[in-house]
Amino acid sequence: MKKILVALLVLIVLAVAGVAGVYSYAQKAVTTPHASEDATPKEFIVKKGASARSLGQQLQSQGFLDDARIWRFHLWRRGSLNVKAGRFMLSPTSSVEQLATALEGPPLPEDVPFAMIEGWRLRDTDQVLAAQGLIKPGEYIAAASRSERFTAPFPLPTRGLEGYLYPETYGIVVEGFKVEAFIQRQLETFRARFYDAHKAEIDKSGRSLHDIVVMASMLEREEPTPSQRPLVAGILWKRVDKGFALGVDATSRYELAEWNDRKEFLKRLRDKSDPWNSRTRIGLPPGPIGAPTVDSLLAALRPTKSDFLYYLHDAQRILRPSRNAQEHEALRAKYNVY
């Protein structure tokens, strides 16, 4: 009987020691920073109605911790976790204790969509940002005119960033909106959407990046069908190389306060001294005339070779190319385009 009692006592001591060891291990694991090669903070989303306990598996699957059981141990030990639904920025090197503290803090402010339309000029974006109360009128144009304040892995034009601020829908946090940070983000989007993937091709193209951007900005406004833009690009590059006027009327609209102001547009077309008048001026216009999409940028980079030297659009905006002036004039008469 005495031996049995001793054996039971030994087992109890071992069990207590084992539990203490597990507890000590778990406690240490709670406060130990998580091992991660990438310490860059990442977004973590807590869905509405999610329980604190369920977040452990989510944190583990997204690489913030290695064992969801340690998360559950910490919740048991601390008693509760008051977490709100929303977006949080968490560090992959945080300890479990630090993750819990971060998730009890306020979520990131909700962003709102800002749609920058294809072909918009700096003035168009400025006008909409100002109308939404994000900036004072002219603030975006002024900031985008100071190229030296921004960084990119390619030369930035000294006259301003027209054409380099990529058009798409951006999520914007209204509170604390910084126009220069937004412009830098647009530059980085241009880089991600076009430049990084096609740098080698740009270098071998025989055209500068800036000339490609200028051409693409015209294609964005000139040809409504993306699949036709490489053909139009081929015609326009050929005219540039031959020293012909481009005849892209969109260039004469660039400096108009309102793009569709026909009266002012016609006045510009008659002004032979206007540097943006591509009916009378040879070569590319002085700069981009708006923000091109990747479709237009690739068309400018990869023009389609053809026998065509002229083109027009009929009343349905269908492209009608021609090989010479005689064919072009015949098409103008046929489709009543003057």
Side-chain angles (χ1 to χ4, degrees):
M1 185 68 178
K2 186 176 181 180
K3 289 182 179 180
I4 294 174
L5 290 174
V6 170
L8 286 173
L9 182 60
V10 170
L11 289 174
I12 291 170
V13 169
L14 290 174
V16 170
V19 169
V22 170
Y23 184 91
S24 178
Y25 167 80
Q27 177 60 27
K28 185 177 180 181
V30 164
T31 58
T32 300
H34 180 242
S36 175
E37 294 181 359
D38 184 7
T40 305
K42 295 179 174 60
E43 185 176 284
F44 181 81
I45 298 176
V46 177
K47 295 181 179 179
K48 188 174 182 179
S51 67
R53 184 181 176 87
S54 70
L55 296 181
Q57 203 64 44
Q58 186 181 346
L59 286 163
Q60 181 177 344
S61 67
Q62 294 183 25
F64 291 102
L65 53 81
D66 295 325
D67 190 342
R69 290 174 297 180
I70 303 300
W71 174 261
R72 293 196 294 271
F73 168 80
H74 183 55
L75 294 183
W76 167 76
R77 180 175 165 274
R78 80 197 305 266
S80 65
L81 181 71
N82 298 316
V83 61
K84 296 180 180 179
R87 300 179 302 117
F88 297 82
M89 291 302 292
L90 303 179
S91 171
T93 60
S94 293
S95 66
V96 169
E97 188 176 51
Q98 290 170 330
L99 289 173
T101 300
L103 289 171
E104 276 198 318
L108 294 172
E110 289 299 319
D111 55 22
V112 296
F114 175 78
M116 180 181 172
I117 306 301
E118 299 88 342
W120 268 8
R121 301 165 294 175
L122 295 178
R123 68 166 66 220
D124 301 317
T125 306
D126 186 279
Q127 184 177 10
V128 176
L129 286 172
Q132 294 185 7
L134 293 167
I135 62 168
K136 295 177 181 178
E139 189 177 354
Y140 178 82
I141 295 173
S145 298
R146 297 189 289 268
S147 304
E148 70 279 2
R149 296 195 177 190
F150 303 97
T151 59
F154 45 81
L156 295 176
T158 56
R159 62 176 290 139
L161 298 177
E162 188 77 86
Y164 291 81
L165 305 181
Y166 197 79
E168 70 172 33
T169 298
Y170 294 88
I172 289 179
V173 177
V174 175
E175 183 179 350
F177 177 79
K178 301 293 184 184
V179 68
E180 289 193 355
F182 178 57
I183 290 172
Q184 183 64 48
R185 184 178 169 194
Q186 290 181 292
L187 266 177
E188 290 167 0
T189 305
F190 174 91
R191 173 185 178 177
R193 297 286 185 273
F194 176 65
Y195 181 77
D196 282 352
H198 306 288
K199 181 182 182 303
E201 192 175 354
I202 294 167
D203 293 341
K204 295 177 182 178
S205 69
R207 312 281 184 186
S208 69
L209 173 63
H210 188 66
D211 285 354
I212 290 170
V213 173
V214 173
M215 177 62 73
S217 72
M218 291 191 292
L219 296 173
E220 192 70 46
R221 286 291 192 172
E222 187 75 353
E223 176 49 58
T225 306
S227 62
Q228 295 281 30
R229 289 173 191 166
L231 177 59
V232 175
I235 295 171
L236 293 177
W237 280 128
K238 187 187 297 186
R239 295 182 72 85
V240 168
D241 295 339
K242 288 181 175 292
F244 292 179
L246 296 182
V248 176
D249 287 349
T251 62
S252 291
R253 295 183 184 272
Y254 174 65
E255 292 191 322
L256 299 181
E258 296 294 335
W259 185 270
N260 292 320
D261 187 336
R262 181 168 176 77
K263 182 179 178 180
E264 288 299 316
F265 166 61
L266 294 175
K267 186 186 296 185
R268 289 273 184 169
L269 285 183
R270 293 190 292 269
D271 184 0
K272 294 183 179 181
S273 66
D274 181 7
W276 296 92
N277 190 338
S278 61
R279 285 193 180 189
T280 58
R281 297 281 173 152
I282 304 301
L284 294 172
I289 63 170
T293 58
V294 71
D295 285 335
S296 295
L297 289 161
L298 286 175
L301 179 61
R302 302 169 181 170
T304 298
K305 292 183 179 180
S306 72
D307 294 331
F308 302 123
L309 192 56
Y310 298 82
Y311 67 89
L312 56 81
H313 292 90
D314 63 22
Q316 284 71 46
R317 299 293 289 159
I318 297 174
L319 182 68
R320 305 292 181 180
S322 50
R323 292 169 295 180
N324 52 54
Q326 291 77 14
E327 287 185 3
H328 183 61
E329 290 302 318
L331 288 173
R332 290 180 71 183
K334 179 179 180 179
Y335 295 106
N336 193 30
V337 177
Y338 292 98

